[in-house]
Amino acid sequence: MRENTAKRKMLAGQPAFGYTLQLGAPLVAEALADCGIDFILLDTQHGTFGSDSIIATLMALSCGHAVPMARVARNDYTLIGRLLDDGALGIIVPLVHTQEDAQAVADACRFPPLGKRSWGWGRARVYGSDYPEWIDRELFVAVQIESAQAVENAEAILSVPGIDGCWIGPGDLALSLGVDPRHAEEDERQQRAIERVLEACRNTGKIAGYAAYSIEDALQRAAQGFRFVTAGSDIGFLLQGAIQGVERLGLTRRVGRGYGA
């Protein structure tokens, strides 16, 4: 059995912090697997992962204590099942707008009678022959609430059995509200929407999550009441370190290729 220590922390009312992997590089996952972070999230929606690199990355994470989780590319029964069969202990599903969308997530993630997950698994065999006896208990399932429609339906979405919590995507949420994501922090519409999701989590007893932009943002969100919090990404840490090095070396920074101003 593999205990989901991140989920245990969240259920105990403590924040669990995670790093996101987008580079599709197993060696990066191996380096971060035992750094002390609660969970590592493979981003198969926006990251550069293929089917082979997903498996290789999950294998690399097995050398450490960070709980392996993954964001699926879309709300798709087969894609969700593949990530579970590969050994993910957390599934995050983007763009869930309605209670029906959330029910489809729960059905794909849970074995009958709780859901409709297909019997059989591949790499998850490494967890032992008792895998089907504990996976529904240890698995963390979160839906992304990242649209105005989802905010309106937040309580109904989170009331679905088998959904453990949510993960707010602030960028897409801002766009759906007509807000520039780069200035969403100062916009009252964005803040009201975030508060409504927090209230829905409190009312349903579910875990509130947030995709923070930085370590400082992650700490602020945890203080606000969020318990499932990502605090940075592999590409972000790489660029931050490189830029700080350039500045300390006194070199002229060339802005371009999306590296920021």
Side-chain angles (χ1 to χ4, degrees):
M1 173 182 160
R2 172 70 189 269
E3 183 181 60
N4 190 331
T5 51
K7 183 176 182 179
R8 299 290 177 88
K9 285 185 71 172
M10 291 184 280
L11 290 175
Q14 303 172 39
F17 295 105
Y19 291 151
T20 302
L21 301 182
Q22 294 185 312
L23 292 173
L27 287 175
V28 173
E30 185 179 48
L32 295 176
D34 225 11
C35 71
I37 200 72
D38 292 312
F39 66 90
I40 298 287
L41 178 66
L42 283 68
D43 186 357
T44 72
Q45 182 190 21
H46 292 301
T48 54
F49 282 96
S51 57
D52 289 341
S53 60
I54 288 172
I55 293 175
T57 300
L58 288 168
M59 290 174 66
L61 288 175
S62 67
C63 72
H65 293 87
V67 176
M69 301 192 185
R71 171 161 67 169
V72 69
R74 61 180 180 274
N75 191 355
D76 179 273
Y77 177 88
T78 300
L79 292 179
I80 292 171
R82 288 294 299 272
L83 286 172
L84 291 171
D85 291 349
D86 288 342
L89 294 179
I91 292 291
I92 290 78
V93 181
L95 298 169
V96 171
H97 306 295
T98 66
Q99 187 176 35
E100 291 73 23
D101 291 342
Q103 187 63 60
V105 173
D107 285 343
C109 287
R110 310 292 185 180
F111 282 124
L114 299 176
K116 299 178 181 178
R117 181 182 172 186
S118 178
W119 184 264
W121 45 92
R123 185 190 161 271
R125 288 187 179 90
V126 300
Y127 293 133
S129 59
D130 61 345
Y131 174 78
E133 298 170 18
W134 54 261
I135 186 58
D136 283 326
R137 180 180 69 252
E138 298 298 323
L139 181 66
F140 176 70
V141 179
V143 294
Q144 280 198 252
I145 294 183
E146 48 186 344
S147 70
Q149 182 185 11
V151 172
E152 290 293 326
N153 294 325
E155 197 156 328
I157 288 170
L158 290 164
S159 68
V160 172
I163 300 300
D164 295 305
C166 67
W167 192 48
I168 292 178
D172 282 330
L173 176 59
L175 288 174
S176 77
L177 296 171
V179 178
D180 186 328
R182 294 166 296 183
H183 306 293
E185 287 298 306
E186 298 83 38
D187 196 287
E188 290 185 3
R189 291 169 291 177
Q190 180 88 343
Q191 303 315 312
R192 284 197 300 269
I194 291 171
E195 286 296 336
R196 286 192 63 178
V197 175
L198 271 172
E199 182 180 7
C201 288
R202 289 191 291 266
N203 291 342
T204 57
K206 299 299 178 71
I207 294 166
Y210 195 90
Y213 290 114
S214 65
I215 300 296
E216 292 72 21
D217 188 25
L219 291 170
Q220 291 173 7
R221 297 303 174 183
Q224 191 177 3
F226 289 97
R227 295 293 174 260
F228 177 69
V229 186
T230 47
S233 67
D234 51 2
I235 184 63
F237 293 140
L238 178 66
L239 288 174
Q240 288 167 16
I243 290 169
Q244 289 171 4
V246 165
E247 292 172 348
R248 291 199 63 187
L249 290 167
L251 300 176
T252 301
R253 184 178 165 200
R254 294 175 175 83
V255 177
R257 297 188 180 182
Y259 296 162

